[in-house]
Amino acid sequence: MNKNRRLLQQYLKDNIWLTIALLVLSILISILSLTVPWFMQYFTDIIVIGGAWENIGTVVGIFLVIILLRFAVDLLYEQLMAYLVFQKITLSVRKRIEHILIFMECKYLYKKKEEISEKDIETILLGDVDAFKNVLSQTIKFFTEVLKLLVYISILLYYSLPVGLIVCARIPIYYIVSNLFDRPLSTRSEKNRAVQSSLIQKVKKIFQSLPAIKTLQIEMRVEQDLDRQITGYCKNQSKLSILNAGYQELNTAINTILNVLVLVLCGRAILQGSMTLGTMMLISNIQSRTTMPLFFFNNYYLQYKSSFPGISRLVRFLETEVENTALRSDRPHFETLSLRNVSYSYVTGQYALENFSLEIKSGDKLILTGDNMTGKSTLLKLLAGLLTADNGQILVDGKETSNYELRHISTLFLQNQNNYCYFDQEGSGGEVQLLNLSIMRDVSSPLILLDEADASINRNRLDEVYRFLNSDAAVILVTHRDTDRILLDYPNAKIIQI
């Protein structure tokens, strides 16, 4: 709960001036909304009772201008709210999430069964961010409603101290009533969901076992069991409806009593000559408006409570530790990339690559060949920063580097395209590979790593793969094709046997 609040506070604090602007606009909206009761007061006291009908045109004109001004301020408030919540904060959250997904040891780009699933990603990116976005907008509106309530109560206290005190008393009364019903209502709702879920599972189980039921002739027992479930659900639903109805009726009764008290006080003041009829109408209108923020507070609490699991999951995800995730704006570049006695094992004691050394210069074109299981794909994954060497060093321009730096300078085409979430999967093997290679042509990485990118390609289209050997980038191609044929067309390439 505290972490959820801290996340809300962090984003509101980061956008403090926009938040303050929204709160100022909300006060202005509150004041402008009072033009209706003030218009009623003036119209009643001055025009109807006072007989100043010659002023009606001016008064109505001013009233219409204020309504248009209120509409403009409302529109500005909503646009600013949308900008803050959707563009400033939600977009920032999504960028943080996507950045973590990309750099959390490539768990998103390079998936393994035990790591984060695409369903989890969808839940975080869509549902949880939406839950956070809704609670965020509701939090801002919560403070705007508090300000509205303070404005309304201040005006009521100005016009009539007793009425203002009665409206102030409405707040603790409303809070007490909400607490009286909140626990039984939420308990019943939880129980209802549990019974409903059990009922659904029971129906599924019966549907799946229909042949066995028919064979064993036990329809009657199944029907009785199902009837009990349905009856229990309906009884609980009935109790939930009664509780809701009781809650609404009690609120109505309390509001009615308070409204009558306000009218009695105002009527008495009118008889004593200390209040006009128009002022009574103004007070009645404003005090009825105070119920709206109170209802909103309750709705805000319920929405926050229902969104809590999603926001907690989002908070936990945003706390994921990754490498330095500061977005790089500089163009990737290197002069030399060196591997010195690098070893890597997928299984302890069984090296896929052992004591391997290699130096790659900017613009080099290397063709790796060798038997299966000799570590060619492992080498490319190490160079791409997908794997971390068990032993040895990987240096960029003479300095030991991190996986993050390696991912910054390289683009890897893996043999198994299913490892890449953003690659297309439709079509035949060769068509998919060519399509995905066309995506790679748009990147500006100084190191391009091709792991058997020519494996499923038709012979007459191989040049669409090998044309990377003419690029300005350093290219390492793993292949089982005829290297002599490749060297005829690309004589600058070097063959390296593993």
Side-chain angles (χ1 to χ4, degrees), residues 133-143 296 300 303:
K133 174 192 70 183
N134 292 335
V135 169
L136 183 71
S137 60
Q138 291 291 313
T139 301
I140 297 170
K141 287 181 179 178
F142 171 82
F143 289 112
F296 177 84
Y300 166 76
Q303 181 161 1

Side-chain angles (χ1 to χ4, degrees), residues 468-482:
F468 281 99
L469 296 171
N470 273 338
S471 67
D472 295 331
V475 179
I476 300 180
L477 168 69
V478 171
T479 184
H480 287 285
R481 297 271 188 173
D482 182 3

Side-chain angles (χ1 to χ4, degrees), residues 42-44 46-60:
Y42 184 87
F43 192 83
T44 302
I46 306 300
I47 295 179
V48 176
I49 297 176
W53 291 97
E54 66 276 6
N55 296 331
I56 191 168
T58 305
V59 172
V60 170

Side-chain angles (χ1 to χ4, degrees), residues 79-236:
Q79 286 185 332
L80 196 60
M81 174 72 84
Y83 174 72
L84 174 63
V85 173
F86 289 92
Q87 294 187 41
K88 290 286 288 182
I89 296 179
T90 306
L91 188 62
S92 174
V93 172
R94 288 187 184 278
K95 281 184 177 179
R96 276 184 65 185
I97 290 169
E98 289 166 3
H99 202 58
I100 289 170
L101 288 170
I102 290 171
F103 286 96
M104 57 189 294
E105 293 297 332
C106 282
K107 286 182 183 177
Y108 180 49
L109 299 185
Y110 181 58
K111 298 179 297 180
K112 294 180 181 177
K113 289 180 181 178
E114 68 274 10
E115 291 170 346
I116 192 167
S117 69
E118 286 196 60
K119 191 65 181 175
D120 295 330
I121 293 164
E122 185 180 332
T123 301
I124 293 164
L125 278 175
L126 302 179
D128 295 349
V129 172
D130 279 344
F132 176 70
K133 174 192 70 183
N134 292 335
V135 169
L136 183 71
S137 60
Q138 291 291 313
T139 301
I140 297 170
K141 287 181 179 178
F142 171 82
F143 289 112
T144 64
E145 293 297 324
V146 169
L147 290 173
K148 279 184 186 178
L149 191 59
L150 291 174
V151 170
Y152 294 154
I153 290 175
S154 300
I155 292 170
L156 289 173
L157 288 169
Y158 172 78
Y159 279 105
S160 173
L161 182 62
V163 171
L165 292 174
I166 286 175
V167 171
C168 288
R170 185 197 297 270
I171 298 170
I173 291 170
Y174 191 87
Y175 177 77
I176 291 166
V177 171
S178 295
N179 277 334
L180 284 174
F181 280 85
D182 178 59
R183 186 172 294 278
L185 276 170
S186 59
T187 303
R188 286 287 170 192
S189 295
E190 288 296 328
K191 187 176 179 182
N192 222 35
R193 278 194 286 271
V195 173
Q196 190 176 21
S197 176
S198 175
L199 183 59
I200 291 168
Q201 295 303 319
K202 179 71 71 176
V203 171
K204 282 183 178 179
K205 195 171 181 180
I206 290 170
F207 179 77
Q208 290 168 357
S209 59
L210 275 176
I213 290 172
K214 291 292 181 186
T215 305
L216 299 171
Q217 297 296 311
I218 56 173
E219 294 98 329
M220 186 63 69
R221 185 163 65 83
V222 169
E223 281 182 19
Q224 289 172 352
D225 192 20
L226 201 57
D227 283 344
R228 281 197 299 273
Q229 292 271 345
I230 293 170
T231 303
Y233 174 74
C234 292
K235 282 181 179 178
N236 197 63

